[in-house]
Amino acid sequence: MNLTQEQQEVVDYAKQAKDGELILIDSVAGSGKTTLLRAIADELQDTAGLYLAYNKAIATSSKKKFPSVIDCRTTHSLAYRAIVSPMKLKVGFFGPKQIEERISYTEKYLLAEDIKEFCLSSYLSYDEYAEKCGRPNKDLANKYLDLMSEGKIDCTHDFYLKMFHIALANDNIICPKYGVVMLDEAGDLNEVTLEIFRLLPAKLKVAVGDPHQNIYTFNHTINCFERLEDEGTTFKLSKSFRVPQHIASPVEGFCKTYLNPDMEFKGIDSTNDEVTTRAYIARTNGGLINRMIELNREKVPYGLVRKAQEIFKVPLMVAGLKYQGRIYDPAYKHIQEDVDNWYENQNNIQGSYKSVIGYLKSKYSEDLSLVQAINLITKHGKSGIFEAYAEAKDHENKKQDFMLLTAHSSKGLEFDEVMLAPDMNTSIEELLTDMREAQREGKPFPLTDKEKESLNLYYVACTRAIVRLRNATHLIGK
């Protein structure tokens, strides 16, 4: 296979790597990560190895690309084989309903979330996690973790991943020493996966990914390049084989200005201007629903990457609110009390807020999903939301050349033409204004993880385009 100079340098280094060495490959979108990993595997010839993929679909497709001596699987499947069957565990769901103690629903919800966060963390015991992170109910959490490990209640996928991590750390599992272990999507994974990667015995380890595609911090993901930079040798792949230069150049300007001054992103020289697939990428589900309603009105066909039920979950919940009703979504079950309070306090609360959704919008102004759902209902009415949902369900399984999706669900996909929804631009306007002001005044402007994710999302959405990109108003040097 023909490799770029950057790719060939990595392969040459891998051939001469010392025992226990780590190679980090910081690669931009569309830079041929799989091609490079396959070249490394081919160069190492008959070396038995392990390729850890981001999801099952990628692991399955990779089996056809890599030599037969490379075992392609997900970290979860590796852990499942080592933990679930030998320990006779039952895999299922764990949430507030599974907690039998007579405590409030909020306490149950927070306890379940703490158990999940522990399982995805680098800690080897819940006691250590609770002490370092200041979590209450340590004994109660350990009770349910013990019940999972004994097979008395269903355990989660996160739980058996943590058990695999602990078993590796304590040498309780006999694990063969691989010739090479390759970790894909290393720019966006959780701490427990990183620790498993660290603990797997191998002569050579390779981690490849795009740090600027770290967009799932709400699921406790991290950028492992920051964690591993002092433990290995870093190479960069700056050439994208997917993104044309007229898009790559302004994307590079955006990243250099707001994310990483050392960012390099070179595209391909393309004369192709044929558009057969198109995508409308929104920052939020609310942005998608607004566009759906417009398209429904105009009788324009479209397809959906995700189920309508997922997209409309919060608006449908808000549209169905009523006095002494029931909310089944664990994340919003607590607001039923606020709804009841509004109906029962006519003089106080109703005097200040004319509608129950106006009251909720004021009280939970920081909850973007809830506020957007309320805005949708204010704009289109409850009936408009129900009608849009029914229409959207008809578009779920239809193959279309025009797809609607969020930036989060666009990762790994590509389209000839991409149009950014208005909320993709408005979501970062204030942040960029503040950053530019700080730059003018020569002041530092450290980004929070949430702010980095917002900028990364913009980068991900823009780099889905392989012919034309529209409405990307914040790109630089267009």
Side-chain angles (χ1 to χ4, degrees), residues 254-299:
F254 174 86
C255 292
K256 280 180 173 291
T257 304
Y258 302 119
L259 281 167
N260 178 6
D262 298 323
M263 171 71 161
E264 289 185 54
F265 190 4
K266 308 304 178 186
I268 55 174
D269 295 325
S270 174
T271 58
N272 176 33
D273 59 0
E274 183 181 1
V275 172
T276 58
T277 59
R278 297 175 299 136
Y280 182 86
I281 300 181
R283 174 67 174 83
T284 62
N285 289 327
L288 283 188
I289 294 171
N290 269 321
R291 186 60 178 146
M292 283 182 213
I293 292 174
E294 293 172 356
L295 295 173
N296 293 340
R297 189 180 302 124
E298 298 165 4
K299 305 296 182 183

Side-chain angles (χ1 to χ4, degrees), residues 189-209:
L189 73 164
N190 49 53
E191 288 188 344
V192 68
T193 302
L194 173 58
E195 293 307 311
I196 290 171
F197 176 66
R198 276 179 165 143
L199 290 166
L200 288 170
K203 178 182 177 182
L204 172 65
K205 292 183 182 180
V206 181
V208 60

Side-chain angles (χ1 to χ4, degrees), residues 49-100:
L50 176 66
Y51 165 74
L52 294 174
Y54 179 70
N55 58 42
K56 184 177 179 181
I58 295 175
T60 301
S61 65
S62 297
K63 290 179 182 179
K64 303 174 184 177
K65 302 174 183 177
F66 285 92
S68 59
V69 292
I70 302 295
D71 188 13
C72 300
R73 56 177 60 246
T74 65
T75 313
H76 277 91
S77 70
L78 198 67
Y80 188 97
R81 183 176 62 181
I83 297 296
V84 175
S85 295
M87 293 182 63
K88 298 180 180 180
L89 302 184
K90 298 183 295 181
V91 180
F93 177 77
F94 179 80
K97 285 187 177 181
Q98 282 65 48
I99 298 172
E100 59 187 17

Side-chain angles (χ1 to χ4, degrees), residues 16 32 194 218 286 313 358 398:
Q16 303 171 9
L194 173 58
F218 57 86
K313 182 172 71 170
K398 292 182 179 179

Side-chain angles (χ1 to χ4, degrees), residues 49 67 69 71 77 79 106 196 199 305 396 408 410 434 441:
V69 292
D71 188 13
S77 70
T106 299
I196 290 171
L199 290 166
V305 170
E396 285 179 345
H408 280 102
S410 74
D434 291 344
E441 296 178 1

Side-chain angles (χ1 to χ4, degrees), residues 244-255 469 474-478:
Q245 183 59 32
H246 71 268
I247 295 177
S249 180
V251 167
E252 180 185 66
F254 174 86
C255 292
L469 176 63
H474 293 307
L475 291 191
I476 296 172
K478 292 185 292 184

